[in-house]
Amino acid sequence: MLELTVGQVANGGWCVARHDGRVVFVRHALPGERVRAEVTEETARFLRADAVEILEASPDRVTPPCPFSGPGRCGGCDWQHASLEAQRRLKADVVAEQLSRLAGIDREITVEEVPGAPDGLGWRTRVQYATGRDGLLGLRRHRSHDVEPVTDCLIADPAIEELRVATEGWRGAASVEFIASTGGDHAVVVTPKPHRDVRIPDIDASVMLDEGRRGTRVLQGHGTLTERVGDRDFRVSASGFWQVHPGAAATLLDAVLDFAQPKPGEWALDLYCGAGLFAAGLAEAVGPSGAVLGIESEAQAVQDARWNLRGVAQVSFERGRVEEALDRLEIERADLVVTDPPRAGLGREVVDRVAGLRASRIVYVSCDPATLARDIKWFGELGYELADIRAFDQYPMTHHVECVALLVRG
């Protein structure tokens, strides 16, 4: 057991302390607190620990609303012990620190609330539960395969809780993901244990079986969901990607279009386009005299995007890795680029290829401040500067934060 004074929050939600010359990453603490911490992992360079007793508390500390939150318990929420205002300040500090350290840019950051969850609870529209030996559902403990039985997940959308409570006893399942779309649809994606048949309870929802490399198989219902953004509906495969906060899609679309300022007649690219959310807004703005191309590697997402924007002549979609598709289609120029890559970011090869398009504006949507800052640095070396950045609290009670950055040719 260690007694530590913890410092700033690092990317990933850990507070940082030092002990005998080694860095200690501390969970369940807040900056400035004096804590008694139990070591959970040790390497030659650093330790990981849980704050099991608070000796001197931060004024930002609150009682976690969830009884399953805390050391050794559910690993889903990092910051239930901090007020919402403090959570957003800490996330802003992380984004600012990553920009300064990795990109050499000093910028004041404000993390904005996303409409739909004023108390930070009841927002998550997709929740993946693990199953215990008895087939009952729970959530995994932090950095562990152990399952914490959870009777009520407070950040889950109430519709998900209704589905879960009505369907206990998923024998043969390794995990069960419940989904409640903004359009009112419900779905369940079941991942079976190896060489086991899954018992599917009676449930009023589409049911899909995740068969690994063979993809997903629809067992019940149609396997797609309707997500509503403003006055437009998007079809999304139940096993595909969509923002989990009910207010996130509209918030991000508004932010992207505000930064991009697409004009009639322009040629725009939507990279990692998913089901076509940003492409829809871009297509409306550039109009029939312009053109939008979406590129996405996931086959079902491309099918969904084509369905969602059927009849919009100025938009098309191609399946493939971004750099491969740009080369295959011989695309060497664009007026505007929007990109929303996975957590790993664009990477050097894609940054080089996108910068080579000489677009006047690049709008970069990111769920990881570190990879965003790294890629911004590389874009800077290729003639682009960070003109603006916004950050959004899409994942209250966790350390995660979403950013939208505007890069312009210097």
Side-chain angles (χ1 to χ4, degrees):
M1 200 75 70
L2 308 176
E3 284 196 14
L4 304 167
T5 299
V6 297
Q8 69 181 31
V9 171
N11 192 40
W14 304 80
C15 284
V16 179
R18 286 197 167 272
H19 178 73
D20 287 345
R22 280 191 290 182
V23 172
V24 185
F25 295 105
V26 187
R27 204 162 182 259
H28 307 292
L30 291 173
E33 290 188 327
R34 183 75 180 170
V35 304
R36 185 168 285 116
E38 181 179 353
V39 175
T40 58
E41 184 179 341
E42 183 172 358
T43 74
R45 295 185 299 112
F46 64 86
L47 306 172
R48 285 194 174 94
D50 282 344
V52 295
E53 184 180 352
I54 309 303
L55 304 177
E56 296 177 16
S58 163
D60 294 321
R61 177 170 287 275
V62 298
T63 300
C66 176
F68 305 104
S69 175
R73 305 298 300 277
C74 172
C77 294
D78 310 278
W79 286 353
Q80 289 211 7
H81 57 284
S83 68
L84 273 177
E85 294 77 9
Q87 292 179 35
R88 291 171 187 149
R89 288 201 311 270
L90 293 173
K91 294 178 187 187
D93 290 346
V94 168
V95 175
E97 190 273 337
Q98 295 296 303
L99 284 174
S100 178
R101 185 171 61 85
L102 297 177
I105 297 172
D106 292 325
R107 190 66 58 94
E108 185 174 334
I109 303 295
T110 299
V111 174
E112 304 172 39
E113 178 183 348
V114 176
D119 58 358
L121 303 174
W123 54 268
R124 193 172 182 92
T125 59
R126 291 175 176 244
V127 180
Q128 186 176 62
Y129 293 89
T131 57
R133 293 181 180 179
D134 52 6
L136 298 180
L137 301 177
L139 294 167
R140 295 201 184 278
R141 293 168 183 153
H142 186 63
R143 298 179 65 85
S144 171
H145 293 292
D146 295 338
V147 177
E148 175 78 15
V150 173
T151 57
D152 184 17
C153 178
L154 295 187
I155 66 169
D157 185 288
I160 285 180
E161 277 300 291
E162 291 175 11
L163 283 175
R164 183 189 64 81
V165 169
T167 57
E168 291 288 5
W170 293 82
R171 296 192 181 278
S175 68
V176 183
E177 182 179 25
F178 294 93
I179 308 161
S181 79
T182 54
D185 298 325
H186 300 148
V188 178
V189 180
V190 184
T191 301
K193 293 178 180 177
H195 315 297
R196 293 283 300 276
D197 293 328
V198 179
R199 173 189 173 275
I200 305 294
D202 184 25
I203 184 171
D204 184 18
S206 294
V207 180
M208 302 179 71
L209 191 68
D210 184 349
E211 298 182 310
R213 293 183 178 178
R214 292 186 293 177
T216 55
R217 177 161 55 94
V218 178
L219 302 180
Q220 176 178 304
H222 44 72
T224 60
L225 305 164
T226 298
E227 298 287 356
R228 187 157 294 139
V229 183
D231 58 0
R232 179 185 287 275
D233 287 343
F234 291 83
R235 186 187 79 177
V236 182
S237 298
S239 59
F241 173 79
W242 190 260
Q243 297 291 344
V244 297
H245 191 298
T251 298
L252 290 178
L253 177 59
D254 287 347
V256 165
L257 295 179
D258 181 56
F259 276 176
Q261 293 294 305
K263 300 173 181 61
E266 285 195 312
W267 164 229
L269 299 177
D270 181 8
L271 309 181
Y272 309 90
C273 67
L277 172 66
F278 300 138
L282 293 170
E284 183 176 349
V286 303
S289 61
V292 178
L293 171 65
I295 298 177
E296 169 61 49
S297 62
E298 211 280 314
Q300 187 59 57
V302 173
Q303 292 181 26
D304 289 339
R306 288 171 176 164
W307 169 266
N308 292 329
L309 291 170
R310 65 195 184 283
V312 183
Q314 65 266 33
V315 65
S316 61
F317 296 94
E318 287 288 333
R319 184 191 176 195
R321 294 185 302 113
V322 164
E323 61 274 34
E324 175 272 326
L326 291 174
D327 289 345
R328 170 166 47 85
L329 298 171
E330 299 181 343
I331 296 174
E332 301 298 335
R333 188 76 175 87
D335 296 311
L336 166 66
V337 176
V338 174
T339 181
D340 185 7
R343 189 170 300 279
L346 294 178
R348 190 65 198 244
E349 183 179 359
V350 179
V351 167
D352 288 348
R353 188 66 174 84
V354 171
L357 298 171
R358 303 187 305 283
S360 62
R361 294 98 73 207
I362 298 171
V363 182
Y364 190 144
V365 182
S366 170
C367 61
D368 189 306
T371 56
L372 172 64
R374 177 203 67 195
D375 290 348
I376 286 174
K377 176 186 177 182
W378 289 338
F379 274 116
E381 295 169 355
L382 297 169
Y384 283 87
E385 63 183 30
L386 178 65
D388 207 345
I389 185 169
R390 294 175 68 184
F392 299 96
D393 194 16
Q394 284 187 196
Y395 316 96
M397 304 295 169
T398 80
H399 72 271
H400 298 288
V401 60
E402 194 87 1
C403 295
V404 180
L406 172 62
L407 301 166
V408 297
R409 292 186 71 194

